[in-house]
Amino acid sequence: MDFLPFARPDITEAEIEAVATAMRSGWLTTGQNAAAFEKEFMAFVGVDAHAVAVNSATAGLHLAFEALGVGPGTEVLVPTWTFTSTAEAVHYLGGDPVLVDVDEHTLCIDLEDAARKVTPRTVAIAPVHYAGLGVPDGALSDFARTHNLAVIEDAAHAFPTLNEGTLIGAHGHEATVYSFYATKTMTTGEGGMIVTPDAELAARMRTMRLHGINKDVFDRYSSTKPSWQYDVVAAGYKYNLTDTAAAMGRVQLERTPEMVARRNAIAERYDAAFADLPVTLPAHAPAGSSHAWHLYNLRLTSDAPVGRDRFIELMAEAGVGTSVHFIPLHLLTFWRDTYKLSESDFPVASAEFLRTCSLPIFSAMTDEEIGRVVSAVRAILG
């Protein structure tokens, strides 16, 4: 029996044909498809704002923090329970990510711990909507207003997540950054999107995503009039999304409702299958909100017959891939040593890390593959 990977992208002939059409057009870099993708994404989110397509969510975070003015002498609150890119994007600019513990139930940022870590240098908070579950926006917005902080949402897991009645990205925060990496709820292979209601932030991010040039490449090469002249107004980056990737993204965006519905169905089947096992099931969205189910995160309890690491080994022996989301940043050498962090600084994240494991959950899973995961988990823990 073939090994079942932890994740597999959900790609159909429609995506393949869209990419092929883009290639046949002769326009491969940022162009009409990227512009259309931005407009269609904003229509999906359902808010009158600005979308900036980029080549990764990491690039999106970097651009958002740069446009906001993060730099030396500033701090940004970041949950320790995240991928390193959330903190790296602050560090790129000379700012300091201040790591914050997480809520035991949701594994999202603990706003009480965050409040204890606000200083006069703190300029922003970067909540991570972990696994596809939103940080409650009412509490987040109140926190930001109380401490006069900007909000840069790391929504890499959270498209499309309804948060207290509104899709994440439509709450009016300074910026929301999504990921279209290969394992995400929709994909362009590599890619991301920034949404902001602020026209000036959007303009800055558009300039900085392409070397600080004051014209997009499409504007410079597609006009019937000579348009070779441009200016470099800042030392920017190379973060634009290609048209081939955008073509894939446009199809994936259309298919998002069906793909997320499939993830929800898988999560429901897992919940029913594992309810009697020695595990803590993932947190669900409260009434009025939804879960994107980018991840399905089991946490083994103390009476489980094996520990987390052995569980992962046995799942692999059964032919099922798993992963861990995340190794908290304070346990990683660079962040631990740079900021002199210890496990005791983050009691919840330190404890929960030891028992967490992510199971396969992707919209291309067959019923037979879901059954294989259920059977393997039950054989080990049942």
Side-chain angles (χ1 to χ4, degrees):
M1 186 177 293
D2 291 340
F3 187 83
L4 175 61
F6 168 70
R8 185 172 66 235
D10 188 347
I11 302 299
T12 68
E13 287 301 315
E15 285 90 345
I16 294 169
E17 181 56 33
V19 172
T21 299
M23 294 178 71
R24 293 187 190 104
S25 76
W27 193 274
L28 303 183
T29 188
T30 306
Q32 290 180 334
N33 268 305
F37 186 30
E38 292 173 341
K39 292 179 181 178
E40 290 160 6
F41 193 86
M42 285 313 313
F44 191 106
V45 175
V47 63
D48 184 15
H50 309 272
V52 181
V54 288
N55 60 11
S56 72
T58 305
L61 289 166
H62 190 189
L63 290 175
F65 288 134
E66 195 278 340
L68 193 67
V70 171
T74 65
E75 297 174 342
V76 177
L77 300 169
V78 174
T80 189
W81 197 280
T82 185
F83 189 58
T84 190
S85 58
T86 316
E88 276 178 345
V90 178
H91 186 77
Y92 291 161
L93 297 161
D96 290 314
V98 176
L99 300 189
V100 178
D101 209 352
V102 291
D103 176 81
E104 184 176 5
H105 178 58
T106 65
L107 301 179
C108 291
I109 191 167
D110 180 349
L111 294 177
E112 290 186 6
D113 189 45
R116 290 189 287 268
K117 294 177 177 177
V118 173
T119 76
R121 297 173 57 202
T122 311
V123 297
I125 182 171
V128 175
H129 302 297
Y130 174 69
L133 181 64
V135 177
D137 192 72
L140 176 62
S141 295
D142 287 347
F143 178 91
R145 281 192 297 268
T146 297
H147 299 285
N148 193 29
L149 302 179
V151 178
I152 304 296
E153 298 180 273
D154 184 332
H157 295 183
F159 182 76
T161 294
L162 196 66
N163 192 345
E164 298 180 345
T166 302
L167 279 179
I168 286 175
H171 288 95
H173 297 306
E174 280 73 11
T176 303
V177 181
Y178 306 87
S179 172
F180 305 140
Y181 182 65
T183 63
K184 296 302 193 293
T185 52
M186 64 165 282
T187 185
T188 58
E190 297 277 3
M193 189 76 74
I194 315 163
V195 169
T196 177
D198 189 314
E200 290 186 7
L201 288 180
R204 176 67 177 183
M205 290 187 287
R206 288 184 183 280
T207 295
M208 294 300 286
R209 76 173 168 180
L210 194 63
H211 302 297
I213 294 174
N214 64 344
K215 290 183 180 180
D216 272 346
V217 64
F218 187 70
D219 297 329
R220 290 188 285 128
Y221 294 141
S222 61
S223 174
T224 57
K225 297 180 180 180
S227 56
W228 57 269
Q229 290 182 313
Y230 62 86
D231 194 12
V232 173
V233 297
Y237 316 106
K238 187 67 169 70
Y239 284 165
N240 56 304
L241 186 70
T242 67
D243 246 31
T244 47
M248 182 192 301
R250 295 177 69 187
V251 177
Q252 287 270 295
L253 185 63
E254 290 181 357
R255 296 185 56 228
T256 287
E258 70 180 70
M259 292 192 294
V260 172
R262 179 59 171 170
R263 286 175 178 267
N264 273 270
I266 297 168
E268 289 178 4
R269 185 166 170 185
Y270 283 169
D271 281 348
F274 306 146
D276 63 336
L277 297 182
V279 298
T280 301
L281 297 178
H284 280 240
S289 298
S290 68
H291 201 309
W293 292 111
H294 165 57
L295 299 174
Y296 188 92
N297 179 36
L298 276 187
R299 286 181 273 174
L300 278 62
T301 56
S302 59
D303 55 341
V306 296
R308 189 274 311 277
D309 291 2
R310 182 58 179 155
F311 174 75
I312 290 173
E313 292 173 354
L314 292 172
M315 288 291 287
E317 290 176 12
V320 176
T322 59
S323 191
V324 173
H325 297 87
F326 290 101
I327 303 173
L329 299 188
H330 69 272
L331 299 179
L332 301 175
T333 299
F334 176 78
W335 301 114
R336 182 193 65 215
D337 292 354
T338 299
Y339 292 101
K340 306 297 185 290
L341 304 173
S342 68
E343 294 183 31
S344 61
D345 296 329
F346 309 92
V348 174
S350 296
E352 297 306 310
F353 163 66
L354 297 175
R355 65 189 192 101
T356 187
C357 177
S358 300
L359 300 181
I361 183 168
F362 50 90
S363 54
M365 285 184 81
T366 65
D367 288 343
E368 184 273 333
E369 289 172 331
I370 299 166
R372 284 179 60 189
V373 176
V374 168
S375 295
V377 171
R378 293 200 61 85
I380 298 166
L381 299 179

